[in-house]
């Protein structure tokens, strides 16, 4: 059974810092990995999608890497801003299209 | 990108009543719809997978008679919480993908905040 864990569970940093959020999964037989952002009481916003054959994806200040063989992904946020405050979720897809979500990282960026 | 429209965004109901949540795919055919539940400060947990025209598949521990799922068309799936109780209060969210592009980006509805009083 696939299990997805995210570290740290919570993070509070001053504005401007570069951040690394970690995601690990137990079954490396995945098709892709997705990073999402969730604001309090809201739905999900897709940030980045990495196919299993890819090593990384970039969008603006966000960069996500994937090491499928070791079951790890990292989300790098450059020059963090207060508007980046949210919960970040990673999710993996296996051969059934189901997304298995990680435990989430609650990020707070203060001015 | 593809859009999944979920309604209502929030609902308050009395204990013992039933609540229906709808998810519509607006610009693609949602052959499969996934239903998730999220309790406060927890991650999303998959409840069930529905396929158009067939019975839903429920995850272990999810009562199929309590959470009725209907997926009668390629653009509409519904989740009905029957005889709701306060412990059913949660955030429910649906997800699907474009069948023309499987194993790509998943699209989510806006979510439904259910409060049972």
């Amino acid at each position: 059974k696939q299990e997805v864990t995210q570290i740290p569970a919570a993070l509070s940093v001053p504005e401007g810092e570069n951040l690394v959020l970690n995601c690990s999964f137990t079954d490396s037989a995945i098709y892709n990995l997705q990073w999402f952002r969730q604001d309090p009481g809201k739905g999900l916003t897709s940030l980045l999608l990495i196919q299993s054959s890819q090593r990384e994806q970039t969008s603006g200040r966000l960069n996500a890497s994937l090491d499928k063989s070791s079951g790890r992904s990292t989300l790098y946020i450059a020059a963090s801003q207060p508007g980046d405050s949210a919960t970040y979720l990673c999710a993996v897809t296996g051969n059934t299209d189901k997304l298995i979500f990680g435990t989430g990282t609650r990020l707070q960026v203060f001015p | 990108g593809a859009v999944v429209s979920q309604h209502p965004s929030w609902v308050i109901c009395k204990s013992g009543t039933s609540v229906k949540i709808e998810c519509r795919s607006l610009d693609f055919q949602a052959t499969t719809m996934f239903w998730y539940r999220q309790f406060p400060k927890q991650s999303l947990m998959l409840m069930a997978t529905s396929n158009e025209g067939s019975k839903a598949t429920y995850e272990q521990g999810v009562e199929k008679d309590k959470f009725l799922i209907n997926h009668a068309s390629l653009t509409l799936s519904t989740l009905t919480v029957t005889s709701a109780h306060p412990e059913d209060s949660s955030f429910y969210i649906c997800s699907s993908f474009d069948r023309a592009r499987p194993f790509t980006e998943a699209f989510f509805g806006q979510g439904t905040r259910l409060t049972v009083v």
Side-chain angles (χ1 to χ4, degrees):
Chain A
K1 179 184 176 184
Q2 178 74 271
E3 293 185 0
V4 184
T5 306
Q6 291 183 244
I7 295 174
L11 188 60
S12 183
V13 300
E15 181 177 9
E17 280 203 6
N18 299 323
L19 309 172
V20 176
L21 308 183
N22 297 290
C23 171
S24 61
F25 45 96
T26 55
D27 186 352
S28 62
I30 64 169
Y31 281 97
N32 60 46
L33 182 145
Q34 230 171 319
W35 282 93
F36 296 89
R37 168 190 173 133
Q38 185 177 32
D39 293 286
K42 303 291 185 181
L44 301 177
T45 300
S46 179
L47 298 174
L48 290 165
L49 169 71
I50 311 176
Q51 301 289 357
S52 61
S53 58
Q54 298 174 324
R55 297 283 294 182
E56 66 176 342
Q57 283 286 333
T58 299
S59 176
R61 294 182 295 108
L62 304 179
N63 174 277
S65 67
L66 174 64
D67 185 344
K68 183 181 168 183
S69 61
S70 67
R72 288 186 292 188
S73 176
T74 59
L75 178 67
Y76 178 82
I77 303 176
S80 59
Q81 303 170 358
D84 295 330
S85 298
T87 295
Y88 290 80
L89 296 163
C90 67
V92 297
T93 301
N95 60 0
T96 60
D97 272 334
K98 291 191 287 190
L99 267 78
I100 307 299
F101 281 86
T103 45
T105 294
R106 292 191 305 279
L107 171 65
Q108 182 179 8
V109 181
F110 53 90
Chain B
V3 176
V4 176
S5 178
Q6 182 172 347
H7 294 280
S9 56
W10 62 270
V11 57
I12 301 173
C13 70
K14 290 184 178 181
S15 186
T17 61
S18 295
V19 174
K20 180 184 283 188
I21 301 170
E22 290 189 352
C23 276
R24 294 181 182 272
S25 59
L26 300 185
D27 53 1
F28 68 99
Q29 293 179 321
T31 307
T32 302
M33 190 73 74
F34 301 100
W35 288 93
Y36 294 85
R37 178 169 55 184
Q38 184 181 36
F39 291 107
K41 296 188 178 181
Q42 294 187 24
S43 191
L44 280 75
M45 298 300 294
L46 181 66
M47 298 175 64
T49 303
S50 70
N51 292 294
E52 183 264 338
S54 62
K55 290 184 178 180
T57 302
Y58 291 81
E59 297 297 305
Q60 190 174 9
V62 178
E63 301 175 57
K64 63 179 181 180
D65 294 330
K66 181 169 187 61
F67 298 100
L68 301 181
I69 292 174
N70 183 280
H71 196 154
S73 77
L74 287 172
T75 58
L76 174 64
S77 178
T78 61
L79 167 67
T80 301
V81 183
T82 62
S83 187
H85 288 97
E87 57 265 32
D88 297 324
S89 298
S90 186
F91 187 69
Y92 294 85
I93 192 166
C94 60
S95 170
S96 188
F97 61 92
D98 187 344
R99 69 183 301 189
R101 300 189 302 149
F103 304 120
T104 55
E105 185 179 4
F107 301 102
F108 284 80
Q110 302 92 323
T112 298
R113 173 77 55 195
L114 170 64
T115 302
V116 185
V117 298

